[in-house]
Amino acid sequence: MTDIAARLEALESRVGLLEDVNAIRRLHWAYGYYIDFNRADDVAELFAEDGEVIFLSGIYRGREGARRLYGTWFRSLFLAPGEEAPAYGFLLDHFQMQDIITVAPDRQTAKGRFRAVLFGGSHETRAFKPQGLPLQFMEAGIYENDYVREDGVWKIKRLDYMMQWQGEYEAGWSKTTAHLQPLTECYPENPFGPDEIRSAEIRQTWPHRHDVPMHFAHPRFGAVLASKATS
């Protein structure tokens, strides 16, 4: 019976971890769908109360910071005054993929890495053309995120998006300088700005490139390092 009980406990743990991974994957995929249609309040509710977003070298803190980024700024950038998404002739489609999720042994925290590819822009017949936004553009980036279980529900603790490249559709990425540049001014001086600028690590955007450290170890090298640490 002891052996059976141990095996049952191990199976329950494995099932629990799988459920956690699926819940976190669903959480991040929902994030992608919500920002497609500028649903800032829904995006904010995906974050823990003390969560944060790192975007263009700025830190947006808490759900209020998330609303300022995804609602106030993105709404002004993408939509005409009074216009609601989905808006006629406006495209902003995020594809979230290649997820690697690592749940902590106590199942209260986790880390996740995702790749995002997005397509955006405006149809030629759309009356409102967002200033500074190409009519057709592509973008890709990598997320290295932290998650926390809050009141039994997985939430985003820290979302860190590192743009990898942007490309205007006609010119391609070889002739494009990113239309998004690092943030330089905080809120409230900049009504769309972050709560803090990460001055120690300003990430210049495309064509500059940045390493994105992985939260997980290579399976073979990780095992070697682990054995050395315990020897």
Side-chain angles (χ1 to χ4, degrees), residues 16-213:
L17 287 172
L18 289 173
E19 289 177 342
D20 292 337
V21 168
N22 284 331
I24 292 168
R25 182 179 292 128
R26 178 188 177 97
L27 170 67
H28 193 75
W29 287 352
Y31 160 86
Y33 282 112
Y34 288 156
I35 59 178
D36 284 350
F37 296 107
N38 204 245
R39 294 172 57 174
D41 288 336
D42 290 321
V43 173
E45 290 304 312
L46 300 178
F47 285 83
E49 288 189 10
D50 59 348
E52 63 182 29
V53 185
I54 298 176
F55 181 65
L56 296 178
S57 299
I59 304 176
Y60 290 81
R61 291 201 170 91
R63 290 171 182 162
E64 193 57 39
R67 290 188 182 93
R68 189 187 323 126
L69 171 61
Y70 298 112
T72 307
W73 185 21
F74 282 12
R75 178 180 291 275
S76 71
L77 183 63
F78 300 143
L79 303 175
E83 189 176 35
E84 296 292 333
Y88 172 83
F90 180 64
L91 174 70
L92 192 69
D93 283 355
H94 290 72
F95 299 89
Q96 313 289 328
M97 62 192 78
Q98 292 183 321
D99 49 280
I100 299 177
I101 299 168
T102 306
V103 180
D106 64 2
R107 296 180 54 205
Q108 298 304 303
T109 60
K111 292 182 177 292
R113 183 184 182 91
F114 290 78
R115 182 183 300 278
V117 175
L118 69 91
F119 298 88
S122 299
H123 194 268
E124 63 180 0
T125 60
R126 187 187 185 201
F128 176 68
K129 301 294 195 301
Q131 186 176 5
L133 197 69
L135 290 182
Q136 297 184 113
F137 70 92
M138 305 166 288
E139 180 180 316
I142 292 177
Y143 295 92
E144 271 286 343
N145 300 339
D146 293 327
Y147 303 90
V148 63
R149 194 190 297 273
E150 188 175 80
D151 298 326
V153 179
W154 283 104
K155 299 282 187 176
I156 302 170
K157 174 74 171 179
R158 178 176 179 270
L159 185 142
D160 189 353
Y161 176 69
M162 285 159 273
M163 182 201 301
Q164 294 299 292
W165 55 267
Q166 285 184 323
E168 294 188 26
Y169 186 80
E170 291 83 358
W173 46 83
S174 69
K175 298 180 180 179
T176 298
T177 297
H179 61 269
L180 289 176
Q181 295 295 315
L183 297 168
T184 59
E185 192 175 36
C186 292
Y187 178 85
E189 287 74 21
N190 175 2
F192 310 137
D195 297 284
E196 180 184 339
I197 301 294
R198 301 178 75 233
S199 56
E201 186 189 1
I202 298 297
R203 297 169 178 165
Q204 301 296 331
T205 52
W206 179 253
H208 296 275
R209 296 300 307 275
H210 301 275
D211 182 34
V212 185

